[in-house]
Amino acid sequence: MEGGSYGLYIRGCRAMNKKKWIKRLLITLAVLLCGFAIFEIIVHVLMDSEMSSRDDWNIQLGERMYTSEERGVSLYSAPCEASIPVSRMVPDEYEEDGFTYYDESVQHRLGQELMELVQQQGNAAIDAPLALLNPFGTGSNGLLLAFQTDRKSEIRYTIHTTSAELPDYTATAQGLGDKQFSRKHCFLLVGLVPGETQEVTLEAIGEWGKVQERATFTIEMPPSSSSYDSQLTYTDGDSAAALSDGLFYATGLGDYYGYTFFFDNSGVLRYEMVLEGFHSDRFLYTDMGLYTCVSSRKIALLTPIGQAIRIYDLGQYELHHDINWGPDGTILALVNDTEQDTVMDVVVELDPETGAVTELVDFSTLMDGYYGAMTHPVPLTGSSFWQAGEDDWLHLNSVQYRQADDSILVSSRETSTIVQVSGVHSTPTLTALIGDPAFWAGTEYESLSYQPQGDFVPQYGQHDVELVEDDSLPEGQYLLRMYDNNYWSLSTRDDYEPELPDSVGTSLTGGSGIHSYVTYYLVDSNAKTFSLAKQFPVTYSSIVSNAQSFDGNYVVNSGVAHEFGEYDSEGNLIRAFSYDCMMNGYRVMKGDFEGFWFREVTNNR
């Protein structure tokens, strides 16, 4: 009897423990699912914000000075304390729903008003210039100055921050027109730090290099539109090489879409470009200014004073990851065709002369023996789970045009392959697949795989593949440089699992001893081979990121690590900067902006 009762007791306890265990398991699963749901919500909100358009331009104004009824533009005092009068002109409809500065009509009206103001006040002296804060709304801390000097000169300016311990910033303004020396001056003063009080010294430098006139004014700048930090932290590396002259520009920082941030060599925020949305991706320079992405469906031509003189709407095509030059001044763009189910697999061409947008390659059609036949949309359990449900079977992230065979070279993250398509303006033909040949073994594309020559690990998950021109190479050979993320991930195909060495990352956050690389390939299209020409390790980043060759050094962004740095010619770190953002930062590049904003920039450290 007692044994029977004891047995019942034990079974009862086991049943209770099992119930408790099941309850705990359910609670744990609920917490995990809740946490995952919250994470997924955050990711989707972030992704949606990347593609959305700005609905608040954060326009701060002082007192209204006058209104041009003809142009629908009003002039206000600017919201900043200064020892010279500073104004701001804005379109009268700036508070209406759907307003955007990236509208050619808006920009034209502002341009007309500016011309009239310069005609009226542009002959002011250097110590009392016409000063307009962000006249075209495409930046938040640019100050347009217009004045006249007694003799022909160029203008050098120095910005000294009095409210914080920041380094001085010195540059020579480019000015408008082709003349280096002039009596009339109109330029956008770039370098003022948001939220700080600064003393600006203007120097008129004559043709013999002597200072002919000098003037100083003070200004307390309003905060940045994004509220981003005005200075990044940095650490110096082992290299004794000098940093190159110029400004780093960061595009696509998570939760700061719609902005491009420009930092000097000390990590000080010197300019904040304000976009309609999305991120800049790349700057393409012309005699008129520079082309860049300004929203998820718009590309604009910006002048040195910030005016968007041409704005191109891509219609059904949604930008992602890259734009670059095509032949004869055309612009190639990686896009989503919003009228089809697949994403990140179409290349279009924009003709800036006519505004026409032409679809060059739809890879889902070109590679239909792989797409669909061997692939599926990203599952919730895939390594790219934040894209669950998206048919992102190729995931293109950079594009380059090669004149020799009318081809494009695109980087596919999902397949860890550099893909070449020739005859893109006649009959697009798949001609090369550069990466691990094992990926394409057994497919109808196996014969297109170039073979690696030498003992090295091929790239995985690469970004920012660049065609490097080298006239010394024989015909049929060329160099490619890339940010080799060295991260293996495949979410859209089930029948392939590579044999990876321990040096290749399989985690989004990396692991001990795992690096990404700046990698050069020597490609031989005659022999259908590629070999490792140069490589050096950098901070690991599983996705996004880029590597730029600039003025003898390398500028490298490791986006998941929230770090960019400048390396010397041998790949040794000179200085690394840390930045804040949600998830990751897409690209950081560097430019001297000479011929655009500046004639010369001092190496501001």
Side-chain angles (χ1 to χ4, degrees), residues 236-243 553 566-568 572-575 605:
D236 287 327
D238 295 331
S239 176
L243 293 166
N553 290 340
E566 186 163 341
Y567 295 74
D568 66 22
N572 302 304
L573 179 65
I574 305 172
R575 183 169 289 178
R605 292 184 181 228

Side-chain angles (χ1 to χ4, degrees), residues 385-437:
F385 55 86
W386 60 89
Q387 291 183 276
E390 290 191 343
D391 205 350
D392 189 14
W393 63 282
L394 194 61
H395 195 100
L396 300 181
N397 57 40
S398 69
V399 59
Q400 294 273 296
Y401 181 75
R402 189 165 182 259
Q403 186 77 43
D405 47 10
D406 186 33
S407 71
I408 56 172
L409 289 152
V410 292
S411 167
S412 164
R413 187 197 76 185
E414 181 67 6
T415 66
S416 292
T417 303
I418 301 162
V419 182
Q420 184 179 31
V421 180
S422 299
V424 293
H425 291 91
S426 53
T427 305
T429 305
L430 197 66
T431 51
L433 301 170
I434 301 170
D436 189 345

